[in-house]
Amino acid sequence: MPNLPQDCWSVLGIALVLYAMGCIQSISCKSKVFRESISVIEVKASIDPVPTSIDESSSVVLRYRTPHFRASAQVLVPPIAKKETWIVGWIQACSHMEFYNHYGEQGMSSWELPDLQDGKIQAISDSDGVNYPWYGNTTETCMIVGPTRKESKFNISMNDNFYPSVTWAVPVSESNMAKLTSIHRDQSFTTWLVATNTATSEMVTLQTIKWRMRLGIDVNPSRPLGQRATLRQPFAQEQPQVLSKNEPIPPSALVKPNANDAQVLMWRPKDGPPLVVIPSKYR
C-alpha cells in the first residue's frame, strides 16, 4: 500500500464516512418514499338507512338488530423492492359506550367497559379477538409480500352492527316475569385504514373514519309478547365522517383486551349496592 500523507488519509476518511451516510440516507429515503407512495384511491363509509329491527319471538329475551356500518377502500401500493411483508387493513376502537337496560323502579342492568369509563384509556380495541390489532382477517385485510415488480391495487372492506339479547326479566331475579321497560344505547367508534410492516411494526395511517350508533326502545312489559317494544328515535343513524386529517391511534386500540372480552354486565338497583352479573372475560 502506498505511503500517503496524513492529509490524504483525512480526506479519504471523510469521503468514506460521507459515502456510508449517503447509503444510509438512500435506504431511509427509499423507505420514506415507499411509505408516502401508498395511496387510497377511494374510500367509502356509510350506515344502512334502515331502522333498528326488534325481535320478540323469544319469551326469555328481546333481541334487536341495528343497521350495518360499512367501510371500503381501494388502495394502491407501489412495488416493494426488498424482501418484506406489508399488511393493509382496518383497525377499529370504541371510544364511548352507554348500554343501559331499565327495569322500571327496580333498577337497570348496564354493560360497561371499566377502564374506558374511568378514563384510564382513550379507546378500547374492537378487534375480532384473534387477529390483533385488525378488526378481522378476511375482507378486512390484505397482505403484500415483497419483493414485487409491479404496484398492487386491491379493495378491503368491513362491516359492523349490534345484535344483542336483553332479558325480559330482571337478570338477578329468580322470577321470569317481564319487567324490562326501556333500552338505551349510544356508542362511538373510530376506524382507521392502516398499512403496517410485519417485520419492523412500522405503521402508516391512511384514513380515519368516525361513526356512532344510537338507539332507544320503549317496552311495556304488561302487553302480550310480540306487542311490547317500540323503537324510539333515531329511525335513521347519523352517517359516518371520513376525516380530512388523520387522528393518531391510541396504544390501547392495538392490544388486548378487546371490547367484547373487557365488558362487564352490572346490575344497578334503585336501592342497594351494584352487583356484577357477568364478569370480564379478560384476566
Side-chain angles (χ1 to χ4, degrees), residues 4-159:
L4 295 175
Q6 185 65 35
D7 288 351
C8 290
W9 283 114
S10 298
V11 171
L12 182 60
I14 293 169
L16 287 170
V17 170
L18 289 173
Y19 174 76
M21 288 177 65
C23 288
I24 293 168
Q25 187 177 18
S26 174
I27 293 168
S28 175
C29 285
K30 284 179 181 177
S31 178
K32 184 179 179 183
V33 167
F34 175 81
R35 293 196 310 269
E36 293 179 350
S37 297
I38 302 173
S39 60
V40 180
I41 299 170
E42 183 181 41
V43 63
K44 295 179 181 177
S46 64
I47 295 177
D48 294 347
V50 296
T52 294
S53 62
I54 300 172
D55 178 2
E56 292 188 39
S57 60
S58 167
S59 61
V60 179
V61 295
L62 175 151
R63 297 186 182 94
Y64 61 84
R65 189 190 298 271
T66 66
H68 281 81
F69 161 77
R70 303 181 191 276
S72 63
Q74 188 175 53
V75 182
L76 185 67
V77 175
I80 301 174
K82 296 187 292 181
K83 187 179 179 181
E84 60 184 15
T85 300
W86 286 79
I87 296 176
V88 179
W90 297 105
I91 294 173
Q92 182 164 283
C94 174
S95 56
H96 177 80
M97 183 169 84
E98 298 172 16
F99 189 171
Y100 309 136
N101 307 310
H102 295 272
Y103 293 84
E105 292 302 312
Q106 297 198 38
M108 72 174 187
S109 65
S110 174
W111 282 104
E112 300 174 8
L113 295 165
D115 284 355
L116 186 65
Q117 191 169 294
D118 295 343
K120 293 179 181 178
I121 55 175
Q122 285 181 268
I124 189 164
S125 168
D126 199 27
S127 164
D128 61 3
V130 178
N131 302 286
Y132 285 94
W134 308 108
Y135 181 76
N137 196 32
T138 52
T139 64
E140 299 88 358
T141 58
C142 182
M143 181 183 292
I144 309 100
V145 180
T148 57
R149 291 185 178 182
K150 298 180 180 179
E151 62 188 19
S152 306
K153 183 161 59 171
F154 50 86
N155 292 292
I156 48 176
S157 61
M158 64 163 286
N159 67 78

Side-chain angles (χ1 to χ4, degrees), residues 244-265:
S244 57
K245 184 179 180 181
N246 284 318
E247 289 191 357
I249 305 175
S252 56
L254 302 173
V255 295
K256 295 180 180 181
N258 68 350
N260 284 342
D261 286 347
Q263 65 185 355
V264 178
L265 180 62

